[in-house]
Amino acid sequence: MGNEKHGDDPAKPIDLASSDPGSLKARKKKISKQEAQKLRDFRLTAPCFLGNIPCRQRSKRRVKSKNSISKQTNRLDSGAFECYMEKLWSSFPEEKRTSFAYFDCQWFAWYRKASFREKVLSWIKREQIFSKKYVLVPVVCWSHWSLLIFCHFGESLQSETKTPCMLLLDSLEIANPRRLEPDIRKFVLDIYRAEGRPEKKEMIYRIPLLVPKVPQQRDGEECGKFVLYFINLFVEGAPENFSIEGYPYFMRKDWFNAEGVECFCEKLDSFGK
């Protein structure tokens, strides 16, 4: 796709955890005592909750130093994630890349800060996402990674064969992925408006947001790796025309195995060498 790197990024780092009122503790979804205890235990041990993910710096020297997974916490920060993503993207065949676009991993987080919103929307406009079949949107909120995918946004919202919809892939389902839905809905509406699209707000808000049952991380596993692996498998297996009728396609609990994850992580490690 040739993601553009913009020299006018906000200079101030964004504290993704402390600046957000929507902490896990504030969730309204009712869960059992057993689930609550499991979530508390996971939060204490999982790398994705060990502190805040630092904002990516544009210095090549800084990025190079972050182009690895921390040996102490096994945590993938935003600078390393973006470096891995660029290497992964370049490994895809050209015919795949022409159907896809992807966002910088910080754009969604920056969009949620009112002072950066217009700038992020202007960057997205340059990507011409309405000419792509799929758009990959890495999401990092509350120090946890998940993957949002826009499908067929350039098609009519009434289309049945190429259904405009969104997929939210989260390796930590117990944390309630749909807590992001209000922000996602507003994000999508603003993208449509920034592009000058004719669709009405009511129709845009009815674009289906699907949460497929994807494999879940275990204690100590890195959510950022799962997002990169979801991207890798989705690019490889995405159907020519995505429709609700064929959902969830290959995105099932067994869509990859432990050996596949291990091999992919080895591939990521080779990117950092």
Side-chain angles (χ1 to χ4, degrees):
M1 177 199 66
N3 248 16
E4 295 183 18
K5 305 304 172 192
H6 308 284
D8 49 356
D9 289 351
K12 269 191 173 182
I14 301 170
D15 189 338
L16 297 179
S18 63
S19 65
D20 199 299
S23 66
L24 290 172
K25 190 179 289 186
R27 291 190 294 114
K28 293 183 179 180
K29 180 184 176 183
K30 293 183 179 180
I31 60 176
S32 68
K33 290 183 180 179
Q34 193 174 28
E35 288 176 321
Q37 184 58 49
K38 184 177 179 182
L39 181 56
R40 281 194 293 271
D41 292 343
F42 191 95
R43 191 173 182 181
L44 289 173
T45 59
C48 56
F49 287 119
L50 295 176
N52 301 333
I53 295 178
C55 176
R56 176 186 174 206
Q57 301 296 320
R58 298 293 168 170
S59 164
K60 290 185 178 179
R61 181 180 301 175
R62 183 72 175 269
V63 169
K64 183 177 180 181
S65 69
K66 290 178 176 292
N67 191 18
S68 61
I69 300 170
S70 168
K71 292 182 179 179
Q72 290 185 333
T73 65
N74 199 34
R75 184 179 64 189
L76 201 65
D77 67 30
S78 56
F81 183 97
E82 194 68 12
C83 287
Y84 285 134
M85 182 63 204
E86 290 172 1
K87 296 285 184 64
L88 181 62
W89 182 258
S90 65
S91 72
F92 296 139
E94 179 63 28
E95 61 269 21
K96 288 285 187 181
R97 296 201 300 266
T98 57
S99 298
F100 284 79
Y102 76 90
F103 289 176
D104 184 293
C105 68
Q106 290 286 358
W107 284 1
F108 185 82
W110 284 339
Y111 165 83
R112 295 173 75 237
K113 306 291 286 186
S115 57
F116 302 142
R117 190 163 297 155
E118 292 303 317
K119 179 63 70 177
V120 171
L121 290 171
S122 71
W123 293 338
I124 292 173
K125 191 172 182 180
R126 299 178 201 176
E127 301 297 341
Q128 301 179 335
I129 68 170
F130 290 92
S131 66
K132 304 292 183 178
K133 290 181 180 179
Y134 301 105
V135 181
L136 307 167
V137 186
V139 170
V140 55
C141 283
W142 308 299
S143 298
H144 174 63
W145 294 92
S146 56
L147 175 65
L148 178 65
I149 304 175
F150 299 154
C151 305
H152 295 309
F153 267 25
E155 302 295 331
S156 166
L157 296 184
Q158 286 83 29
S159 174
E160 295 182 2
T161 57
K162 298 180 180 179
T163 311
C165 63
M166 297 177 283
L167 303 172
L168 183 57
L169 280 54
D170 196 326
S171 62
L172 190 58
E173 188 176 355
I174 193 174
N176 184 21
R178 286 196 178 273
R179 72 197 186 281
L180 288 168
E181 184 166 0
D183 285 335
I184 290 172
R185 294 284 180 193
K186 189 174 189 312
F187 184 48
V188 170
L189 177 64
D190 282 349
I191 290 174
Y192 270 79
R193 284 177 167 171
E195 290 276 355
R197 300 281 299 186
E199 291 85 354
K200 294 182 179 180
K201 177 180 178 180
E202 294 76 17
M203 291 295 294
I204 296 171
Y205 263 80
R206 282 204 285 267
I207 296 174
L209 175 62
L210 309 172
V211 184
K213 295 287 185 181
V214 297
Q216 298 294 288
Q217 65 191 91
R218 296 167 298 182
D219 292 1
E221 290 187 320
E222 168 56 48
C223 51
K225 292 181 188 177
F226 274 78
V227 167
L228 288 165
Y229 195 39
F230 291 159
I231 289 172
N232 186 64
L233 287 183
F234 190 85
V235 171
E236 288 181 350
E240 184 71 15
N241 297 321
F242 195 101
S243 69
I244 299 295
E245 191 173 323
Y247 174 81
Y249 294 97
F250 58 90
M251 294 173 292
R252 297 181 174 88
K253 286 186 178 180
D254 59 351
W255 72 330
F256 65 78
N257 52 39
E259 290 78 13
V261 176
E262 186 176 345
C263 289
F264 181 76
C265 289
E266 290 176 0
K267 181 179 179 179
L268 288 183
D269 290 341
S270 71
F271 286 162
K273 294 178 181 178

PDB file of all heavy atoms in Angstrom, residues 231-257:
ATOM      1  N   ILE A 231      -3.436 -10.478  11.195  1.00  0.00           N
ATOM      2  CA  ILE A 231      -3.232  -9.749   9.937  1.00  0.00           C
ATOM      3  C   ILE A 231      -2.665 -10.683   8.878  1.00  0.00           C
ATOM      4  O   ILE A 231      -3.141 -10.725   7.735  1.00  0.00           O
ATOM      5  CB  ILE A 231      -2.292  -8.543  10.153  1.00  0.00           C
ATOM      6  CG1 ILE A 231      -3.003  -7.452  10.967  1.00  0.00           C
ATOM      7  CG2 ILE A 231      -1.801  -7.982   8.813  1.00  0.00           C
ATOM      8  CD1 ILE A 231      -2.099  -6.316  11.403  1.00  0.00           C
ATOM      9  N   ASN A 232      -1.644 -11.437   9.261  1.00  0.00           N
ATOM     10  CA  ASN A 232      -0.992 -12.339   8.318  1.00  0.00           C
ATOM     11  C   ASN A 232      -1.986 -13.353   7.740  1.00  0.00           C
ATOM     12  O   ASN A 232      -2.070 -13.540   6.519  1.00  0.00           O
ATOM     13  CB  ASN A 232       0.148 -13.068   9.024  1.00  0.00           C
ATOM     14  CG  ASN A 232       0.975 -13.920   8.080  1.00  0.00           C
ATOM     15  OD1 ASN A 232       1.621 -13.412   7.169  1.00  0.00           O
ATOM     16  ND2 ASN A 232       0.951 -15.223   8.288  1.00  0.00           N
ATOM     17  N   LEU A 233      -2.783 -13.977   8.600  1.00  0.00           N
ATOM     18  CA  LEU A 233      -3.721 -14.992   8.139  1.00  0.00           C
ATOM     19  C   LEU A 233      -4.888 -14.392   7.378  1.00  0.00           C
ATOM     20  O   LEU A 233      -5.388 -14.991   6.424  1.00  0.00           O
ATOM     21  CB  LEU A 233      -4.235 -15.814   9.327  1.00  0.00           C
ATOM     22  CG  LEU A 233      -3.236 -16.791   9.932  1.00  0.00           C
ATOM     23  CD1 LEU A 233      -3.894 -17.589  11.048  1.00  0.00           C
ATOM     24  CD2 LEU A 233      -2.671 -17.735   8.894  1.00  0.00           C
ATOM     25  N   PHE A 234      -5.338 -13.204   7.777  1.00  0.00           N
ATOM     26  CA  PHE A 234      -6.463 -12.595   7.068  1.00  0.00           C
ATOM     27  C   PHE A 234      -6.053 -12.197   5.656  1.00  0.00           C
ATOM     28  O   PHE A 234      -6.807 -12.403   4.705  1.00  0.00           O
ATOM     29  CB  PHE A 234      -7.000 -11.384   7.832  1.00  0.00           C
ATOM     30  CG  PHE A 234      -8.301 -10.875   7.272  1.00  0.00           C
ATOM     31  CD1 PHE A 234      -9.504 -11.432   7.670  1.00  0.00           C
ATOM     32  CD2 PHE A 234      -8.322  -9.868   6.321  1.00  0.00           C
ATOM     33  CE1 PHE A 234     -10.714 -10.992   7.134  1.00  0.00           C
ATOM     34  CE2 PHE A 234      -9.518  -9.422   5.772  1.00  0.00           C
ATOM     35  CZ  PHE A 234     -10.713  -9.987   6.192  1.00  0.00           C
ATOM     36  N   VAL A 235      -4.869 -11.617   5.513  1.00  0.00           N
ATOM     37  CA  VAL A 235      -4.403 -11.244   4.174  1.00  0.00           C
ATOM     38  C   VAL A 235      -4.274 -12.488   3.298  1.00  0.00           C
ATOM     39  O   VAL A 235      -4.628 -12.472   2.116  1.00  0.00           O
ATOM     40  CB  VAL A 235      -3.057 -10.489   4.253  1.00  0.00           C
ATOM     41  CG1 VAL A 235      -2.469 -10.287   2.864  1.00  0.00           C
ATOM     42  CG2 VAL A 235      -3.249  -9.131   4.934  1.00  0.00           C
ATOM     43  N   GLU A 236      -3.798 -13.576   3.879  1.00  0.00           N
ATOM     44  CA  GLU A 236      -3.629 -14.808   3.111  1.00  0.00           C
ATOM     45  C   GLU A 236      -4.966 -15.451   2.740  1.00  0.00           C
ATOM     46  O   GLU A 236      -5.113 -16.020   1.660  1.00  0.00           O
ATOM     47  CB  GLU A 236      -2.797 -15.814   3.911  1.00  0.00           C
ATOM     48  CG  GLU A 236      -1.324 -15.447   4.029  1.00  0.00           C
ATOM     49  CD  GLU A 236      -0.550 -16.491   4.816  1.00  0.00           C
ATOM     50  OE1 GLU A 236      -1.182 -17.385   5.426  1.00  0.00           O
ATOM     51  OE2 GLU A 236       0.691 -16.418   4.834  1.00  0.00           O
ATOM     52  N   GLY A 237      -5.971 -15.378   3.637  1.00  0.00           N
ATOM     53  CA  GLY A 237      -7.196 -16.145   3.431  1.00  0.00           C
ATOM     54  C   GLY A 237      -8.453 -15.362   3.146  1.00  0.00           C
ATOM     55  O   GLY A 237      -9.523 -15.960   2.976  1.00  0.00           O
ATOM     56  N   ALA A 238      -8.385 -14.041   3.086  1.00  0.00           N
ATOM     57  CA  ALA A 238      -9.589 -13.231   2.882  1.00  0.00           C
ATOM     58  C   ALA A 238     -10.256 -13.577   1.558  1.00  0.00           C
ATOM     59  O   ALA A 238      -9.582 -13.699   0.530  1.00  0.00           O
ATOM     60  CB  ALA A 238      -9.243 -11.742   2.914  1.00  0.00           C
ATOM     61  N   PRO A 239     -11.581 -13.748   1.556  1.00  0.00           N
ATOM     62  CA  PRO A 239     -12.285 -14.078   0.312  1.00  0.00           C
ATOM     63  C   PRO A 239     -12.291 -12.908  -0.658  1.00  0.00           C
ATOM     64  O   PRO A 239     -12.120 -11.749  -0.262  1.00  0.00           O
ATOM     65  CB  PRO A 239     -13.707 -14.402   0.785  1.00  0.00           C
ATOM     66  CG  PRO A 239     -13.854 -13.626   2.054  1.00  0.00           C
ATOM     67  CD  PRO A 239     -12.499 -13.632   2.696  1.00  0.00           C
ATOM     68  N   GLU A 240     -12.494 -13.210  -1.922  1.00  0.00           N
ATOM     69  CA  GLU A 240     -12.552 -12.167  -2.941  1.00  0.00           C
ATOM     70  C   GLU A 240     -13.660 -11.168  -2.632  1.00  0.00           C
ATOM     71  O   GLU A 240     -13.472  -9.959  -2.719  1.00  0.00           O
ATOM     72  CB  GLU A 240     -12.790 -12.808  -4.315  1.00  0.00           C
ATOM     73  CG  GLU A 240     -12.767 -11.831  -5.476  1.00  0.00           C
ATOM     74  CD  GLU A 240     -11.392 -11.291  -5.798  1.00  0.00           C
ATOM     75  OE1 GLU A 240     -10.389 -11.877  -5.325  1.00  0.00           O
ATOM     76  OE2 GLU A 240     -11.304 -10.282  -6.518  1.00  0.00           O
ATOM     77  N   ASN A 241     -14.814 -11.689  -2.265  1.00  0.00           N
ATOM     78  CA  ASN A 241     -15.955 -10.851  -1.897  1.00  0.00           C
ATOM     79  C   ASN A 241     -16.452 -11.276  -0.529  1.00  0.00           C
ATOM     80  O   ASN A 241     -16.904 -12.413  -0.354  1.00  0.00           O
ATOM     81  CB  ASN A 241     -17.092 -10.977  -2.922  1.00  0.00           C
ATOM     82  CG  ASN A 241     -16.681 -10.500  -4.302  1.00  0.00           C
ATOM     83  OD1 ASN A 241     -15.966  -9.509  -4.430  1.00  0.00           O
ATOM     84  ND2 ASN A 241     -17.106 -11.213  -5.320  1.00  0.00           N
ATOM     85  N   PHE A 242     -16.367 -10.384   0.442  1.00  0.00           N
ATOM     86  CA  PHE A 242     -16.797 -10.698   1.794  1.00  0.00           C
ATOM     87  C   PHE A 242     -18.282 -10.374   1.934  1.00  0.00           C
ATOM     88  O   PHE A 242     -18.719  -9.263   1.655  1.00  0.00           O
ATOM     89  CB  PHE A 242     -15.997  -9.865   2.806  1.00  0.00           C
ATOM     90  CG  PHE A 242     -16.103 -10.361   4.223  1.00  0.00           C
ATOM     91  CD1 PHE A 242     -15.070 -11.104   4.770  1.00  0.00           C
ATOM     92  CD2 PHE A 242     -17.217 -10.103   5.003  1.00  0.00           C
ATOM     93  CE1 PHE A 242     -15.151 -11.564   6.080  1.00  0.00           C
ATOM     94  CE2 PHE A 242     -17.310 -10.564   6.301  1.00  0.00           C
ATOM     95  CZ  PHE A 242     -16.273 -11.296   6.843  1.00  0.00           C
ATOM     96  N   SER A 243     -19.062 -11.364   2.360  1.00  0.00           N
ATOM     97  CA  SER A 243     -20.487 -11.125   2.577  1.00  0.00           C
ATOM     98  C   SER A 243     -20.890 -11.739   3.909  1.00  0.00           C
ATOM     99  O   SER A 243     -20.271 -12.705   4.382  1.00  0.00           O
ATOM    100  CB  SER A 243     -21.333 -11.725   1.449  1.00  0.00           C
ATOM    101  OG  SER A 243     -21.288 -13.141   1.488  1.00  0.00           O
ATOM    102  N   ILE A 244     -21.920 -11.192   4.520  1.00  0.00           N
ATOM    103  CA  ILE A 244     -22.412 -11.711   5.793  1.00  0.00           C
ATOM    104  C   ILE A 244     -22.830 -13.172   5.648  1.00  0.00           C
ATOM    105  O   ILE A 244     -22.700 -13.975   6.568  1.00  0.00           O
ATOM    106  CB  ILE A 244     -23.610 -10.871   6.287  1.00  0.00           C
ATOM    107  CG1 ILE A 244     -23.182  -9.418   6.507  1.00  0.00           C
ATOM    108  CG2 ILE A 244     -24.169 -11.434   7.581  1.00  0.00           C
ATOM    109  CD1 ILE A 244     -22.174  -9.197   7.590  1.00  0.00           C
ATOM    110  N   GLU A 245     -23.310 -13.530   4.465  1.00  0.00           N
ATOM    111  CA  GLU A 245     -23.814 -14.878   4.229  1.00  0.00           C
ATOM    112  C   GLU A 245     -22.731 -15.936   4.426  1.00  0.00           C
ATOM    113  O   GLU A 245     -22.994 -17.047   4.876  1.00  0.00           O
ATOM    114  CB  GLU A 245     -24.379 -14.975   2.803  1.00  0.00           C
ATOM    115  CG  GLU A 245     -25.161 -16.256   2.546  1.00  0.00           C
ATOM    116  CD  GLU A 245     -25.852 -16.233   1.190  1.00  0.00           C
ATOM    117  OE1 GLU A 245     -26.329 -15.157   0.789  1.00  0.00           O
ATOM    118  OE2 GLU A 245     -25.900 -17.295   0.551  1.00  0.00           O
ATOM    119  N   GLY A 246     -21.486 -15.623   4.084  1.00  0.00           N
ATOM    120  CA  GLY A 246     -20.402 -16.591   4.225  1.00  0.00           C
ATOM    121  C   GLY A 246     -19.647 -16.512   5.545  1.00  0.00           C
ATOM    122  O   GLY A 246     -18.753 -17.314   5.799  1.00  0.00           O
ATOM    123  N   TYR A 247     -20.003 -15.545   6.368  1.00  0.00           N
ATOM    124  CA  TYR A 247     -19.318 -15.319   7.643  1.00  0.00           C
ATOM    125  C   TYR A 247     -19.483 -16.532   8.555  1.00  0.00           C
ATOM    126  O   TYR A 247     -20.559 -17.119   8.583  1.00  0.00           O
ATOM    127  CB  TYR A 247     -19.909 -14.061   8.289  1.00  0.00           C
ATOM    128  CG  TYR A 247     -19.414 -13.750   9.675  1.00  0.00           C
ATOM    129  CD1 TYR A 247     -18.195 -13.108   9.853  1.00  0.00           C
ATOM    130  CD2 TYR A 247     -20.162 -14.092  10.806  1.00  0.00           C
ATOM    131  CE1 TYR A 247     -17.738 -12.819  11.121  1.00  0.00           C
ATOM    132  CE2 TYR A 247     -19.706 -13.802  12.068  1.00  0.00           C
ATOM    133  CZ  TYR A 247     -18.499 -13.172  12.224  1.00  0.00           C
ATOM    134  OH  TYR A 247     -18.037 -12.876  13.480  1.00  0.00           O
ATOM    135  N   PRO A 248     -18.439 -16.965   9.314  1.00  0.00           N
ATOM    136  CA  PRO A 248     -17.147 -16.281   9.525  1.00  0.00           C
ATOM    137  C   PRO A 248     -16.022 -16.762   8.605  1.00  0.00           C
ATOM    138  O   PRO A 248     -14.867 -16.526   8.911  1.00  0.00           O
ATOM    139  CB  PRO A 248     -16.846 -16.633  10.974  1.00  0.00           C
ATOM    140  CG  PRO A 248     -17.362 -18.036  11.120  1.00  0.00           C
ATOM    141  CD  PRO A 248     -18.592 -18.088  10.266  1.00  0.00           C
ATOM    142  N   TYR A 249     -16.346 -17.470   7.512  1.00  0.00           N
ATOM    143  CA  TYR A 249     -15.323 -17.971   6.609  1.00  0.00           C
ATOM    144  C   TYR A 249     -14.303 -18.813   7.383  1.00  0.00           C
ATOM    145  O   TYR A 249     -14.677 -19.711   8.121  1.00  0.00           O
ATOM    146  CB  TYR A 249     -14.653 -16.819   5.852  1.00  0.00           C
ATOM    147  CG  TYR A 249     -15.608 -16.106   4.913  1.00  0.00           C
ATOM    148  CD1 TYR A 249     -16.251 -14.933   5.282  1.00  0.00           C
ATOM    149  CD2 TYR A 249     -15.896 -16.629   3.652  1.00  0.00           C
ATOM    150  CE1 TYR A 249     -17.144 -14.295   4.425  1.00  0.00           C
ATOM    151  CE2 TYR A 249     -16.788 -15.996   2.790  1.00  0.00           C
ATOM    152  CZ  TYR A 249     -17.400 -14.837   3.181  1.00  0.00           C
ATOM    153  OH  TYR A 249     -18.278 -14.218   2.336  1.00  0.00           O
ATOM    154  N   PHE A 250     -13.021 -18.463   7.263  1.00  0.00           N
ATOM    155  CA  PHE A 250     -11.974 -19.259   7.912  1.00  0.00           C
ATOM    156  C   PHE A 250     -11.709 -18.823   9.349  1.00  0.00           C
ATOM    157  O   PHE A 250     -10.890 -19.422  10.049  1.00  0.00           O
ATOM    158  CB  PHE A 250     -10.669 -19.124   7.105  1.00  0.00           C
ATOM    159  CG  PHE A 250     -10.229 -17.689   6.976  1.00  0.00           C
ATOM    160  CD1 PHE A 250      -9.391 -17.117   7.905  1.00  0.00           C
ATOM    161  CD2 PHE A 250     -10.681 -16.903   5.916  1.00  0.00           C
ATOM    162  CE1 PHE A 250      -8.995 -15.795   7.793  1.00  0.00           C
ATOM    163  CE2 PHE A 250     -10.286 -15.581   5.793  1.00  0.00           C
ATOM    164  CZ  PHE A 250      -9.443 -15.025   6.734  1.00  0.00           C
ATOM    165  N   MET A 251     -12.374 -17.782   9.825  1.00  0.00           N
ATOM    166  CA  MET A 251     -12.067 -17.207  11.141  1.00  0.00           C
ATOM    167  C   MET A 251     -12.808 -17.956  12.249  1.00  0.00           C
ATOM    168  O   MET A 251     -13.780 -17.482  12.817  1.00  0.00           O
ATOM    169  CB  MET A 251     -12.419 -15.722  11.154  1.00  0.00           C
ATOM    170  CG  MET A 251     -11.563 -14.897  10.222  1.00  0.00           C
ATOM    171  SD  MET A 251     -12.115 -13.184  10.099  1.00  0.00           S
ATOM    172  CE  MET A 251     -13.678 -13.408   9.237  1.00  0.00           C
ATOM    173  N   ARG A 252     -12.306 -19.105  12.575  1.00  0.00           N
ATOM    174  CA  ARG A 252     -12.894 -19.928  13.620  1.00  0.00           C
ATOM    175  C   ARG A 252     -11.853 -20.188  14.703  1.00  0.00           C
ATOM    176  O   ARG A 252     -10.698 -19.824  14.562  1.00  0.00           O
ATOM    177  CB  ARG A 252     -13.391 -21.245  13.034  1.00  0.00           C
ATOM    178  CG  ARG A 252     -14.497 -21.043  12.004  1.00  0.00           C
ATOM    179  CD  ARG A 252     -14.980 -22.376  11.449  1.00  0.00           C
ATOM    180  NE  ARG A 252     -16.138 -22.174  10.572  1.00  0.00           N
ATOM    181  CZ  ARG A 252     -16.055 -21.926   9.276  1.00  0.00           C
ATOM    182  NH1 ARG A 252     -14.859 -21.829   8.702  1.00  0.00           N
ATOM    183  NH2 ARG A 252     -17.143 -21.763   8.550  1.00  0.00           N
ATOM    184  N   LYS A 253     -12.281 -20.819  15.777  1.00  0.00           N
ATOM    185  CA  LYS A 253     -11.383 -21.039  16.909  1.00  0.00           C
ATOM    186  C   LYS A 253     -10.143 -21.833  16.521  1.00  0.00           C
ATOM    187  O   LYS A 253      -9.087 -21.684  17.128  1.00  0.00           O
ATOM    188  CB  LYS A 253     -12.125 -21.756  18.036  1.00  0.00           C
ATOM    189  CG  LYS A 253     -13.109 -20.867  18.785  1.00  0.00           C
ATOM    190  CD  LYS A 253     -13.706 -21.599  19.975  1.00  0.00           C
ATOM    191  CE  LYS A 253     -14.651 -20.696  20.746  1.00  0.00           C
ATOM    192  NZ  LYS A 253     -15.247 -21.380  21.922  1.00  0.00           N
ATOM    193  N   ASP A 254     -10.298 -22.689  15.507  1.00  0.00           N
ATOM    194  CA  ASP A 254      -9.173 -23.532  15.122  1.00  0.00           C
ATOM    195  C   ASP A 254      -8.474 -23.027  13.858  1.00  0.00           C
ATOM    196  O   ASP A 254      -7.862 -23.796  13.133  1.00  0.00           O
ATOM    197  CB  ASP A 254      -9.658 -24.970  14.901  1.00  0.00           C
ATOM    198  CG  ASP A 254     -10.725 -25.061  13.814  1.00  0.00           C
ATOM    199  OD1 ASP A 254     -11.214 -23.998  13.359  1.00  0.00           O
ATOM    200  OD2 ASP A 254     -11.064 -26.188  13.424  1.00  0.00           O
ATOM    201  N   TRP A 255      -8.560 -21.720  13.588  1.00  0.00           N
ATOM    202  CA  TRP A 255      -7.990 -21.227  12.334  1.00  0.00           C
ATOM    203  C   TRP A 255      -6.468 -21.178  12.362  1.00  0.00           C
ATOM    204  O   TRP A 255      -5.838 -20.926  11.360  1.00  0.00           O
ATOM    205  CB  TRP A 255      -8.598 -19.886  11.932  1.00  0.00           C
ATOM    206  CG  TRP A 255      -8.192 -18.690  12.743  1.00  0.00           C
ATOM    207  CD1 TRP A 255      -7.842 -18.658  14.041  1.00  0.00           C
ATOM    208  CD2 TRP A 255      -8.137 -17.338  12.275  1.00  0.00           C
ATOM    209  NE1 TRP A 255      -7.563 -17.372  14.420  1.00  0.00           N
ATOM    210  CE2 TRP A 255      -7.742 -16.541  13.353  1.00  0.00           C
ATOM    211  CE3 TRP A 255      -8.394 -16.733  11.041  1.00  0.00           C
ATOM    212  CZ2 TRP A 255      -7.584 -15.160  13.249  1.00  0.00           C
ATOM    213  CZ3 TRP A 255      -8.235 -15.357  10.942  1.00  0.00           C
ATOM    214  CH2 TRP A 255      -7.838 -14.582  12.032  1.00  0.00           C
ATOM    215  N   PHE A 256      -5.858 -21.394  13.510  1.00  0.00           N
ATOM    216  CA  PHE A 256      -4.433 -21.670  13.533  1.00  0.00           C
ATOM    217  C   PHE A 256      -4.120 -22.534  14.750  1.00  0.00           C
ATOM    218  O   PHE A 256      -4.934 -22.670  15.651  1.00  0.00           O
ATOM    219  CB  PHE A 256      -3.585 -20.390  13.508  1.00  0.00           C
ATOM    220  CG  PHE A 256      -3.715 -19.498  14.722  1.00  0.00           C
ATOM    221  CD1 PHE A 256      -3.073 -19.807  15.905  1.00  0.00           C
ATOM    222  CD2 PHE A 256      -4.463 -18.328  14.655  1.00  0.00           C
ATOM    223  CE1 PHE A 256      -3.166 -18.970  17.013  1.00  0.00           C
ATOM    224  CE2 PHE A 256      -4.562 -17.485  15.755  1.00  0.00           C
ATOM    225  CZ  PHE A 256      -3.921 -17.807  16.935  1.00  0.00           C
ATOM    226  N   ASN A 257      -2.943 -23.128  14.748  1.00  0.00           N
ATOM    227  CA  ASN A 257      -2.562 -23.997  15.859  1.00  0.00           C
ATOM    228  C   ASN A 257      -1.300 -23.478  16.523  1.00  0.00           C
ATOM    229  O   ASN A 257      -0.701 -22.505  16.081  1.00  0.00           O
ATOM    230  CB  ASN A 257      -2.356 -25.439  15.368  1.00  0.00           C
ATOM    231  CG  ASN A 257      -1.398 -25.501  14.191  1.00  0.00           C
ATOM    232  OD1 ASN A 257      -0.405 -24.781  14.140  1.00  0.00           O
ATOM    233  ND2 ASN A 257      -1.699 -26.364  13.224  1.00  0.00           N
TER     234      ASN A 257
END
